[in-house]
Each structure stands twice: as C-alpha cells, then as structure tokens.
C-alpha cells in the first residue's frame, strides 16, 4: 500500500469507522482515538495486510479494540464499585465502633449526623444519600441529577468533610 492509497483510504473511510466505533462505545473522542490507532497500526503493518481486504481488516480491528475498551471500562467500574463497597463497610464499622465504645453517646452521635445531613447543601445531601443509602454508582448519580461524574465525586467529598467536622469529637484520629 502506497502513501497515496493509504491517505485516500483514510480520508474516505475514517468517519465511517468512527461512527461504527461510537455505536459500540458511545464516546466520540475515544471512538476517534480507536480508529486513529487502528489506521496507525495498519500503516505500520501495511506489508502484512492484503490489499483486497483492507476495509475488512480495519473494521475487525476497530471492533476488537472497541470490545477491549468496553471490557476495560467494565473492569474499572467493578473496581470502583468494590472500593465504594469497601468505603461504605469501613464507615459502617467506624460508626458501629463509635456506638459500641460508649452507648451513652449513641443518640448524640445520631443527632449530630442527622443535623449535619440537614445542614448540607441540597444537592450535596441528595448525591450523598443516593450513593450511601441508594447504593447508586457515581455514574448512575451523574445521570440521575444531570451532572458530571467529577461533580458527584466532589459533592460526596464535601459531604464527608461536613460529617467528619460534625463528628470530629467522636472519631478516632485515623478517620
């Protein structure tokens, strides 16, 4: 394959392959990157690909990279959910330890916790409750409230900061 043939193929088919990749992964930038990577790989291995089946080769390369991308995202999501479960368990254990250590303070701790929740900004409280009580992932919360995943993370961090401050007298130094 010559430079000219490659450039012509790239110019004529790139956008079609990007649409195909987008239909699999639903992310335009990543779809564009996948297609670019596939064309780059084709260029680097152009001597190994038969000229009569280049379009099929690129299609399969795009499809396979999309599958790898989706598997990677799925694995990442499972890891995040596992960490979220671990953090929830840690928080519940800390609260249980607090309550066990001195039952005289149980009502006071619960009152402080509820008061801190009520004093949070409304969106912070909703996002925090959706994650902690509703067991929703950051992505699900972002869709529910039409905000970015980064916004969800920052709101949960804010909620935890507010709760730590409200319960500072009852938390051990490691919390």
């Amino acid at each position: 394959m010559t430079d000219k043939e490659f450039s012509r193929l790239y110019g004529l088919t790139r956008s079609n392959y990007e649409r195909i990749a987008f239909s699999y992964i639903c992310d335009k930038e990543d779809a564009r990157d996948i297609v670019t990577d596939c064309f780059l790989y084709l260029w680097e291995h152009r001597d190994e690909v038969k000229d009569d089946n280049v379009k099929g080769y690129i299609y399969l390369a795009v499809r396979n990279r999309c599958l790898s991308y989706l598997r990677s995202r799925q694995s990442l999501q499972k890891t995040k959910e596992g960490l979220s479960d671990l953090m929830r368990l840690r928080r519940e254990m800390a609260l249980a330890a607090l309550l066990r250590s001195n039952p005289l303070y149980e009502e006071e701790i619960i009152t402080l916790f509820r008061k801190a929740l009520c004093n949070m900004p409304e969106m912070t409280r909703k996002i925090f409750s959706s994650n902690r009580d509703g067991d929703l992932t950051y992505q699900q919360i972002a869709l529910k409230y039409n905000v970015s995943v980064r916004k969800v993370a920052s709101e949960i961090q804010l909620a935890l900061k507010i709760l730590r401050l409200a319960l500072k007298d009852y938390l051990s130094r490691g919390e």
Side-chain angles (χ1 to χ4, degrees):
M1 175 179 292
T2 66
D3 293 358
K4 193 173 186 176
E5 290 171 332
F6 180 83
S7 294
R8 185 172 185 271
L9 176 68
Y10 182 78
L12 291 174
T13 62
R14 177 190 47 83
S15 61
N16 290 335
Y17 290 118
E18 286 176 3
R19 281 193 291 278
I20 290 168
F22 179 77
S23 73
Y24 286 121
I25 64 171
C26 301
D27 185 305
K28 285 187 179 187
E29 287 182 36
D30 287 341
R32 188 176 307 122
D33 289 345
I34 286 171
V35 171
T36 301
D37 288 346
C38 289
F39 271 101
L40 180 61
Y41 186 84
L42 171 65
W43 178 250
E44 291 171 348
H45 297 88
R46 63 189 174 276
D47 297 333
E48 302 166 21
V49 178
K50 295 180 182 179
D51 287 342
D52 60 336
N53 198 15
V54 174
K55 289 181 181 179
Y57 176 86
I58 296 171
Y59 170 76
L60 287 176
V62 168
R63 185 182 68 99
N64 289 338
R65 292 224 182 176
C66 288
L67 287 171
S68 294
Y69 172 90
L70 292 171
R71 285 185 187 121
S72 173
R73 295 289 304 250
Q74 185 178 31
S75 177
L76 181 63
Q77 185 63 33
K78 285 181 181 179
T79 301
K80 285 181 180 179
E81 289 171 2
L83 288 174
S84 177
D85 290 344
L86 182 63
M87 294 303 290
R88 185 175 16 265
L89 178 61
R90 183 173 181 227
R91 186 187 71 251
E92 289 170 1
M93 288 173 56
L95 186 57
L98 273 173
L99 297 175
R100 273 194 317 272
S101 65
N102 197 336
L104 298 174
Y105 298 122
E106 179 177 350
E107 197 60 42
E108 187 175 343
I109 292 169
I110 291 171
T111 301
L112 287 171
F113 182 83
R114 287 182 180 151
K115 185 177 178 184
L117 278 176
C118 290
N119 290 333
M120 285 180 192
E122 182 180 1
M123 183 58 77
T124 304
R125 182 177 55 253
K126 285 180 178 180
I127 287 174
F128 180 78
S129 294
S130 293
N131 179 252
R132 298 315 203 239
D133 301 329
D135 290 331
L136 297 179
T137 64
Y138 284 20
Q139 183 69 36
Q140 291 168 327
I141 295 167
L143 291 172
K144 180 178 180 179
Y145 294 110
N146 197 28
V147 296
S148 70
V149 174
R150 181 174 280 176
K151 173 74 171 167
V152 171
S154 68
E155 291 296 326
I156 289 176
Q157 286 177 343
L158 175 62
L160 291 172
K161 182 179 178 181
I162 291 169
L163 290 171
R164 273 190 220 102
L165 186 61
L167 299 170
K168 69 180 185 283
D169 295 334
Y170 301 94
L171 294 172
S172 66
R173 293 232 187 263
E175 295 302 314

